[in-house]
Amino acid sequence: MPVDQVLVEAAKLDGFVAAIFRAIGCDAAEAGRISTHLLGANLAGHDSHGVARVPRYVEWCEAGYVLKGQAAEVVTDGGCFALLDGKFGFGQTVAPQAVELGIARAQQHGIAVVGLRNAGHIGRVGDYAETAIRAGLISVHFVNVAGSVLVAPFGATDRRFSTAPFSVGVPLPGRPLVLDFATSLVAEGKVMVASNGGKALPADALIEPDGSLSGDPHTLYGPYDKVGPRDVTKGSGAIRAFGEHKGSGLAFMCEMLGGALTGGGTSGPITARTRIANGMLSFYVSPSHFGTEAEFHATGRAYVDWVLAANRAKPDEPVLAPGDKEAATRADRLANGVPLQPDTWEGIRQVARRLGVVEPN
């Protein structure tokens, strides 16, 4: 572990974060969901969606942007399809409700399409794909962030897209596959982590108004203190889409499906009435209903094995399937602790002290 990182035992970190959310008025169940989900992102190696988000979540809740104790409301129910409104509740509360409904309907009908709008930050989307996998279902998730313009489309310097995550989960016996990524070259949370002294950004992750490329978090945030909030409205640049026109095109579709179709709104244009919220359109498919489950498992597993048997480009680096890196990171961090940048850890501790939450020993 680098000397400039703090190691925190997973169980202690989980309890500490849960205590912070209880301190702002969440009930024990909701506080536990938030902490477990954020910690789960760290355990999977997605630190951008992990406990580094705690200060921001607390600020949003205290400002009334995200609401405690909400239950998602069913707006449209067509049996194998449904639309839910999260009523700006914590994403870790309302998104699981949408996923649970999608799973139940797919198990009943063989397929389900579930839209969710007006949700607080739902966190790592791969978590929901993993939930569907545990139920034996394939799932596909298109996500956008209404009111959040961070990413420049291909060929532009102005912000137009949210980071627009995309995830697919495939259940194979003993070999689940989870594809999970932001359509931006880096997630906004990774810019935040880098600004807190974490892993540096690629030199071409961001773009300045003059078209020059940058890896400096100040491009997105403008001036900021070493420890404290980051404000994306203060920066003049944007995050770039991954894969040039390909990532830009996929981001476009996440905005169309996760935002426009659900009725929650797209990333922009922003008005005085615009409120930041996640939208998600999810598809769930039951291989058993499809009639090919045995063939799917056998053929899918054989294909994974064949792909991973390809000659290695570097002898000491194995070929990986989607989800392998997260599984290895999870095992390591559960055993050895969760690494946090000192500035990230201090930001969480400052929030805890202000709320009167005792830090774990």
Side-chain angles (χ1 to χ4, degrees):
M1 182 188 72
V3 295
D4 61 344
Q5 288 188 331
V6 177
L7 267 184
V8 185
E9 183 183 332
K12 289 183 178 180
L13 186 56
D14 193 7
F16 186 39
V17 171
I20 289 173
F21 286 98
R22 289 197 302 272
I24 62 171
C26 295
D27 64 28
E30 182 163 62
R33 281 193 300 272
I34 297 168
S35 63
T36 299
H37 183 100
L38 293 178
L39 173 64
N42 286 103
L43 292 176
H46 291 242
D47 296 330
S48 60
H49 287 62
V51 297
R53 298 266 176 176
V54 169
R56 185 175 291 182
Y57 277 23
V58 170
E59 291 166 12
W60 286 343
C61 186
E62 291 177 333
Y65 299 145
V66 179
L67 306 178
K68 305 181 290 288
Q70 298 299 300
E73 177 184 357
V74 177
V75 178
T76 303
D77 190 341
C80 63
F81 64 88
L83 173 63
L84 284 72
D85 193 307
K87 299 189 293 186
F88 301 101
F90 271 104
Q92 289 76 16
T93 291
V94 297
Q97 292 170 2
V99 173
E100 288 168 9
L101 179 63
I103 289 171
R105 295 298 175 83
Q107 290 173 332
Q108 178 183 0
H109 300 290
I111 190 167
V113 182
V114 176
L116 173 67
R117 69 188 185 198
N118 298 331
H121 186 257
I122 65 175
R124 176 179 169 256
V125 185
D127 190 277
Y128 307 118
E130 290 167 353
T131 301
I133 283 173
R134 289 191 289 272
L137 302 177
I138 296 167
S139 65
V140 183
H141 309 267
F142 295 87
V143 180
N144 89 310
V145 191
S148 175
V149 283
L150 297 172
V151 181
F154 178 66
T157 62
D158 291 337
R159 304 178 187 185
R160 287 294 184 269
F161 302 143
S162 65
T163 54
F166 174 77
S167 184
V168 180
V170 177
L172 293 176
R175 219 14 168 130
L177 304 176
V178 181
L179 181 67
D180 178 29
F181 55 78
T183 52
S184 51
L185 201 153
V186 294
E188 187 265 331
K190 290 189 176 180
V191 186
M192 181 173 63
V193 168
S195 76
N196 284 324
K199 183 178 179 181
L201 299 174
D204 62 349
L206 310 174
I207 188 166
E208 294 280 2
D210 64 0
S212 61
L213 304 184
S214 168
D216 182 354
H218 291 90
T219 297
L220 190 68
Y221 297 129
Y224 54 79
D225 295 329
K226 184 177 180 183
V227 177
R230 304 290 185 257
D231 187 347
V232 296
T233 68
K234 303 298 185 184
S236 59
I239 306 174
R240 299 178 67 220
F242 87 91
E244 305 297 345
H245 62 287
K246 297 178 182 179
S248 183
L250 185 54
F252 222 134
M253 295 306 146
C254 286
E255 294 291 344
M256 290 294 103
L257 300 181
L261 181 61
T262 64
T266 54
S267 58
I270 296 175
T271 69
R273 299 179 61 186
T274 301
R275 189 167 177 175
I276 294 177
N278 271 144
M280 178 167 67
L281 186 71
S282 302
F283 299 81
Y284 302 87
V285 178
S286 168
S288 61
H289 285 74
F290 209 65
T292 62
E293 185 171 39
E295 295 91 338
F296 167 62
H297 287 166
T299 303
R301 183 58 192 265
Y303 184 70
V304 170
D305 293 343
W306 181 70
V307 170
L308 300 189
N311 289 329
R312 299 181 180 186
K314 296 182 179 179
D316 59 342
E317 294 183 10
V319 180
L320 299 176
D324 284 358
K325 186 175 181 180
E326 287 85 349
T329 303
R330 186 179 294 115
D332 174 70
R333 293 185 173 185
L334 281 171
N336 300 309
V338 178
L340 300 174
Q341 285 72 41
D343 294 345
T344 297
W345 179 232
E346 180 56 26
I348 297 170
R349 295 171 69 204
Q350 285 185 5
V351 170
R353 288 194 293 268
R354 178 170 65 82
L355 296 171
V357 176
V358 178
E359 183 179 333
N361 296 322

